[in-house]
Amino acid sequence: SSPSTMSIRRSPTTSKGYTESSISLAEISVRVVEYAEEMANPSQGTKVLDPQKCYLTIAETIGIRSSSAAPLTSLNTSPNKASSTADAKNLLSRVSSPTSVTQVDTQQFPPAPTGAEILNAAENVAVASPQATKDRRAKENIVKRRVFDVLHILENTGVCRRVNPNRAAGYFWYGLKSLSKGLRVWQGGTRQYCQQHEKTLRHLKVPILSTISYMFLRVCMNTSNKTTTLKDAAAKIFKELLLKLKDSEDSKLPTQKGVERRLYDVVSVLATVGVISRTRKSISVAVEILRVGSCEEHARQAMMRTKQNPHK
């Protein structure tokens, strides 16, 4: 699969009935922005996005996480029969030991279950195995990483900013209407400005994805007609990264191939919210996204197109 796509296998019994699904980074981006616009709307008295609630909600929406996280055992029986896991297990134990039912007072215990009741109880008692729980948590962690990837990219566009160095504390959400202002700062932006910008992001450890994001925006905003190609942008970013990291204590420097892979993610997220438009040969900054009056509507239309065809 492409670098901007993650595959998540779901069991046949998920709420949406999928047996297998591929969730693209573009689709995750749409879900993050929609959640933030609804839950961290300044007009409703709050503007802080809780990333943990965000990724758990997304995991539940796409069928990875159950809405009731506490119980690992579920049961669905008829209203007149057992209504809990313990009752269902008792029902099955009475079947396995018929003498325990026949040798007691019939007024004290209900009648022995029929064959249909036995089958229904056995089918509806679903105890999560340790491996199933481990797999579910692994998939939740994939969604968690992808949600933070989206936030690392978007915080360079002006729509959000980390509250404090601890990312779990949340992100100030300024909304899609802030896109035009957040993007125009990169036009004519110097390397010194980039260093100051990186400090304002308040990262304890600067993620390469965030760095590649603002470098890419700077390249796009300062090229002729605000148009470039993925190959040219990757080459310029790689060269600038080497200059930035040459004095770093980290001995593991990124490769150009690695930069290109991360750039695919950046391009995917930015295209989802309408910052850029893509063809097979070029990438260009959308004119509408740079206008205060049209940036929000343009972003919403781009997200709608992504929802209609998330894997395009």
Side-chain angles (χ1 to χ4, degrees):
S1 61
S2 67
S4 61
T5 303
M6 65 174 179
S7 295
I8 297 177
R9 290 182 180 274
R10 302 194 185 107
S11 67
T13 58
T14 57
S15 59
K16 291 189 177 183
Y18 297 142
T19 55
E20 183 177 346
S21 180
S22 179
I23 308 297
S24 68
L25 182 60
E27 187 177 352
I28 293 290
S29 303
V30 172
R31 293 181 185 276
V32 169
V33 174
E34 287 183 338
Y35 179 89
E37 289 284 296
E38 179 182 357
M39 306 302 294
N41 193 330
S43 65
Q44 296 178 358
T46 177
K47 60 176 183 178
V48 176
L49 169 65
D50 185 333
Q52 182 176 6
K53 288 183 180 179
C54 179
Y55 76 74
L56 289 178
T57 300
I58 292 174
E60 182 180 327
T61 302
I62 62 181
I64 292 175
R65 183 175 183 268
S66 172
S67 57
S68 54
L72 294 179
T73 309
S74 62
L75 177 69
N76 182 20
T77 58
S78 63
N80 297 325
K81 297 299 175 182
S83 59
S84 68
T85 304
D87 292 338
K89 288 182 177 178
N90 288 337
L91 181 67
L92 294 178
S93 67
R94 285 164 43 212
V95 178
S96 60
S97 303
T99 55
S100 64
V101 175
T102 57
Q103 292 176 359
V104 296
D105 186 0
T106 56
Q107 293 182 352
Q108 185 178 355
F109 288 89
T114 64
E117 290 172 342
I118 296 170
L119 292 175
N120 288 336
E123 288 177 357
N124 290 319
V125 176
V127 180
S129 67
Q131 184 61 42
T133 303
K134 183 178 179 181
D135 291 345
R136 176 181 58 77
R137 288 176 179 169
K139 292 170 185 177
E140 282 183 13
N141 284 333
I142 292 174
V143 176
K144 177 181 178 180
R145 288 197 302 271
R146 297 311 246 173
V147 166
F148 278 110
D149 283 349
V150 171
L151 292 173
H152 285 153
I153 294 169
L154 291 181
E155 65 184 345
N156 294 285
T157 66
V159 299
C160 63
R161 189 62 54 90
R162 189 177 292 203
V163 172
N164 64 43
N166 177 15
R167 68 180 188 178
Y171 287 74
F172 290 117
W173 186 261
Y174 305 117
L176 296 173
K177 61 183 181 297
S178 302
L179 276 169
S180 61
K181 182 180 177 181
L183 294 171
R184 281 182 290 166
V185 300
W186 297 112
Q187 191 160 4
T190 63
R191 289 183 181 176
Q192 185 178 3
Y193 175 80
C194 292
Q195 293 174 355
Q196 294 173 347
H197 167 77
E198 205 158 54
K199 290 179 182 178
T200 66
L201 298 182
R202 311 182 79 174
H203 294 148
L204 291 174
K205 182 179 180 182
V206 177
I208 291 294
L209 183 62
S210 179
T211 304
I212 290 175
S213 300
Y214 75 69
M215 287 182 175
F216 174 70
L217 289 170
R218 184 169 167 242
V219 168
C220 289
M221 293 294 291
N222 292 283
T223 52
S224 177
N225 298 322
K226 295 182 174 52
T227 301
T228 185
T229 66
L230 194 67
K231 187 176 181 179
D232 288 346
K236 291 177 182 178
I237 292 170
F238 177 64
K239 198 175 293 185
E240 189 170 341
L241 264 180
L242 290 184
L243 288 173
K244 175 181 171 59
L245 299 175
K246 66 178 182 179
D247 298 325
S248 173
E249 296 179 359
D250 190 356
S251 58
K252 190 177 180 181
L253 295 175
T255 62
Q256 186 162 348
K257 198 87 172 176
V259 170
E260 288 180 3
R261 283 199 299 269
R262 301 306 273 161
L263 192 53
Y264 279 120
D265 289 346
V266 173
V267 168
S268 178
V269 174
L270 294 180
T272 298
V273 294
V275 172
I276 60 173
S277 57
R278 294 180 289 180
T279 66
R280 288 183 178 273
K281 294 183 178 180
S282 65
I283 299 170
S284 58
V285 179
V287 176
E288 296 85 355
I289 209 72
L290 300 177
R291 297 173 183 157
V292 176
S294 60
C295 65
E296 184 174 3
E297 181 59 28
H298 176 77
R300 293 188 185 280
Q301 289 177 0
M303 289 166 56
M304 183 61 68
R305 289 192 294 271
T306 299
K307 288 174 73 172
Q308 292 171 351
N309 194 353
H311 304 294
K312 184 175 180 181

